[in-house]
Amino acid sequence: MNEFKNFINGEFVTTSSGKTFENRNPVDNSLIGMVHEAGKPEVDAAVQAAKAAMKGPWGKMTQAQRIEMLNRVADRINERFDEFLDAECKDTGKPRKVASHIDIPRGAANFKAFSETLANHPTEAFKLDTPDGKGALNYGHRKPKGVIAVISPWNLPLLLMTFKVGPALACGNAVVVKPSEETPATATLLGEVMNECGVPPGVYNVVHGFGGNSAGAFLTANTDVDAITFTGETSTGETIMRAASVGLRNISMELGGKNPGIVFADCDMDKAIEGTMRSAFVNCGQVCLGTERVYVERPIFEAFVQRLKEGVENLKLGRPEDPEVDFGPLVSQEHKEKVLSYYNLAVEEGATVVVGGGIPDMGAELNAGAWVEPTIWTGLSDDARVVNEEIFGPCCHIRPFDTEEEVIELANDTQYGLAATIWTENSSRAVRVAEAMDVGLAWVNSWFLRDLRTAFGGAKESGIGREGGVHGLEFYTETKNVCIKL
Ligand code: NAD
């Protein structure tokens, strides 16, 4: 039986309360192991370990030494690639084909890319004239913020966690990570890697547990945490903002979305179909940037719906190990219930089910897993709940449109503002529409194409702040102005 322990001050520890919870594989609902749930004493110990690490060898290291160490961490993840892959696929059920291409390599790369950004990004300097004619010199100095709480979701566990831990550590902070209760494995495994690479105790800590009245809430309530970076649902973000207001602590929020895909009649249809297949169905639709609302210009509407339907019918569902499989289960039974409730609601709201809409028959071995069918709807009204609420499943609604103005209005008519995808071969239109989108990320003729040097984050209720590239430096450091009178 696997055990997932907390990682505090360089050691794997159980909990004083002895509380554990189950970690199950969503492919067949089999038990992977037991997770030790951190109580307040463990969370507080992790925060104190992080605080102490800032005063120990870690706090005294040069930037170059830190960067070298983090490069070793990236290399070591790649050396233990198969273990990370196995752990991630068991926790999430996602196909190895997906995780070996996205989750693990990008998770490792996060430790290298931000180090490079930090090493190559200057701060500002100004010479000030003074009445005595001698002047003063100002320069910006970046100091680490201190202890950063990293609270992450289950959909891309390693990747989204290291997207925060990488820059936080590169900037010289110490972290306490609270991974999702659904996916404790890779964050735990990373503890071993940190020790193997000589990262001092207390720099990287992991506490397991749930949100409210558990590890998540204990962590955000601890005022020795200097800043909180969170990825997850918008409503959880609101709760965490309230906690962070005590002691006026900084936050970075990457939250939910209901992202539009806009397909113009002048698009390259093959690219648009291939891109929408990925943006709506990869990772069983559990990607924050995924497309759940597709708007297609009327002349190609029928053809687009037909071709996307054929794409869905060709998806191969099955076990993660099967190299042919491109579609796995949802992350948990609980999430399956949520997604299925939207499948039923879509029918109640008058949708035409183009394909899917139910539970696939996966055979006796897998039927206990969290499987749902990839699903396409048409015919819903713009105010239907299915068109407005984030489902976070393998499904999309497709609606025709007639003009550019109309589709801009429709795409922006949401409280969310994370991502938009635009398919057109007309570059003037592409720029015009991309700039009109009220989102943090707009893709033209692509999706999920990420350059780690660029800003990442959401507008409206999809987030606060930007991470990625130099933008992360703003959050993970405190910029101080040093003024020297000459
Ligand atoms: P969630 O909000 O339920 O949980 C996220 C994390 O927060 C988990 O670790 C959870 O235990 C913790 N948490 C829950 N309540 C808490 C509380 N009161 N205090 C402290 N911590 C608490 O989200 P989820 O279901 O794990 O993930 C799916 C959601 O994440 C979707 O809404 C998706 O859009 C969003 N997401 C956003 C991005 C982005 O970059 N914008 C990326 C991935 C996922």
Side-chain angles (χ1 to χ4, degrees):
M1 172 70 67
N2 288 308
E3 275 189 285
F4 301 94
K5 294 183 184 165
N6 302 286
F7 183 68
I8 300 173
N9 207 25
E11 289 179 5
F12 288 97
V13 296
T14 58
T15 51
S16 48
S17 69
K19 265 176 144 178
T20 56
F21 60 92
E22 290 181 341
N23 180 22
R24 288 193 174 267
N25 185 336
V27 170
D28 55 7
N29 205 31
S30 58
L31 189 63
I32 303 170
M34 299 305 289
V35 190
H36 292 266
E37 183 181 351
K40 190 169 179 306
E42 287 74 36
V43 172
D44 290 349
V47 174
Q48 289 315 310
K51 208 174 161 184
M54 296 297 297
K55 298 203 175 100
W58 178 249
K60 297 184 181 65
M61 254 181 217
T62 63
Q63 182 175 293
Q65 286 170 325
R66 277 201 312 267
I67 288 177
E68 200 192 316
M69 195 167 261
L70 296 177
N71 282 338
R72 275 211 297 282
V73 169
D75 292 340
R76 192 66 190 136
I77 295 173
N78 284 325
E79 281 162 21
R80 298 184 65 176
F81 194 94
D82 286 343
E83 287 170 80
F84 276 93
L85 184 61
D86 192 49
E88 205 74 305
C89 292
K90 275 195 181 127
D91 269 4
T92 60
K94 67 178 77 185
R96 287 176 84 91
K97 195 157 99 178
V98 173
S100 63
H101 186 64
I102 299 177
D103 298 65
I104 312 304
R106 290 202 195 183
N110 281 336
F111 284 102
K112 285 199 173 164
F114 293 109
S115 301
E116 278 162 27
T117 305
L118 182 68
N120 296 312
H121 187 65
T123 54
E124 63 192 11
F126 292 101
K127 177 96 185 284
L128 178 74
D129 289 334
T130 55
D132 64 5
K134 292 183 181 157
L137 187 64
N138 291 280
Y139 74 94
H141 173 242
R142 290 189 187 281
K143 260 196 111 179
K145 264 207 175 113
V147 179
I148 311 281
V150 176
I151 302 182
S152 45
W154 45 256
N155 58 328
L156 296 154
L158 181 72
L159 190 161
L160 292 175
M161 185 259 289
T162 57
F163 183 67
K164 294 164 181 301
V165 172
L169 297 190
C171 291
N173 301 283
V175 297
V176 180
V177 175
K178 213 299 279 168
S180 168
E181 53 274 32
E182 306 288 356
T183 52
T186 46
T188 313
L189 199 51
L190 190 57
E192 288 180 23
V193 167
M194 293 288 174
N195 280 351
E196 287 166 353
C197 295
V199 175
V203 172
Y204 172 82
N205 305 276
V206 180
V207 290
H208 292 300
F210 303 85
N213 199 27
S214 181
F218 300 144
L219 182 58
T220 55
N222 188 318
T223 47
D224 280 332
V225 166
D226 298 293
I228 303 168
T229 174
F230 169 72
T231 303
E233 282 185 20
T234 297
S235 59
T236 313
E238 289 174 345
T239 306
I240 291 176
M241 275 182 85
R242 281 192 285 275
S245 73
V246 180
L248 213 71
R249 289 158 310 136
N250 206 352
I251 48 156
S252 171
M253 298 267 151
E254 288 167 3
L255 309 175
K258 186 75 183 177
N259 310 302
I262 303 175
V263 186
F264 287 99
D266 61 11
C267 74
D268 177 323
M269 186 72 137
D270 291 343
K271 280 193 226 161
I273 291 291
E274 192 271 338
T276 309
M277 277 304 296
R278 285 195 304 119
S279 72
F281 302 109
V282 81
N283 209 35
C284 202
Q286 303 163 119
V287 181
C288 54
L289 309 163
T291 308
E292 288 190 0
R293 297 181 290 144
V294 186
Y295 299 100
V296 181
E297 203 168 354
R298 200 172 301 274
I300 62 164
F301 178 77
E302 295 298 338
F304 184 92
V305 172
Q306 181 57 30
R307 284 196 55 184
L308 204 71
K309 173 176 184 271
E310 286 162 13
V312 165
E313 285 165 345
N314 287 329
L315 285 172
K316 182 153 191 270
L317 283 62
R319 284 193 178 275
E321 307 77 60
D322 184 339
E324 302 289 308
V325 160
D326 27 39
F327 190 88
L330 291 166
V331 75
S332 65
Q333 299 296 330
E334 190 187 340
H335 194 49
K336 177 180 167 182
E337 293 312 313
K338 176 184 163 186
V339 171
L340 283 178
S341 75
Y342 278 102
Y343 282 15
N344 294 334
L345 181 64
V347 174
E348 280 167 34
E349 291 188 313
T352 299
V353 182
V354 176
V355 65
I359 301 172
D361 182 4
M362 299 300 297
E365 265 184 34
L366 301 189
N367 269 347
W371 299 90
V372 295
E373 287 178 328
T375 296
I376 299 175
W377 303 289
T378 56
L380 284 168
S381 65
D382 294 327
D383 61 0
R385 281 181 54 201
V386 167
V387 178
N388 289 279
E389 296 175 14
E390 183 187 46
I391 301 170
F392 219 54
C395 51
C396 63
H397 177 255
I398 317 182
R399 177 212 199 276
F401 71 89
D402 293 298
T403 68
E404 189 178 306
E405 294 68 31
E406 177 197 11
V407 80
I408 289 172
E409 187 79 24
L410 286 166
N412 282 338
D413 186 17
T414 164
Q415 76 268 32
Y416 291 113
L418 190 53
T421 309
I422 299 145
W423 301 93
T424 172
E425 292 296 301
N426 177 333
S427 53
S428 301
R429 164 179 279 161
V431 172
R432 216 167 40 233
V433 178
E435 292 189 359
M437 290 293 102
D438 298 335
V439 294
L441 299 141
W443 275 289
V444 175
N445 295 334
S446 63
W447 175 76
F448 210 170
L449 187 56
R450 280 284 301 144
D451 181 332
L452 290 174
R453 293 169 298 184
T454 62
F456 184 91
K460 302 198 274 188
E461 289 182 29
S462 289
I464 295 183
R466 293 288 179 274
E467 297 197 26
V470 295
H471 308 278
L473 301 185
E474 291 305 319
F475 178 71
Y476 292 109
T477 59
E478 208 66 77
T479 304
K480 179 197 307 171
N481 184 63
V482 180
C483 178
I484 307 161
K485 175 74 178 68
L486 300 173

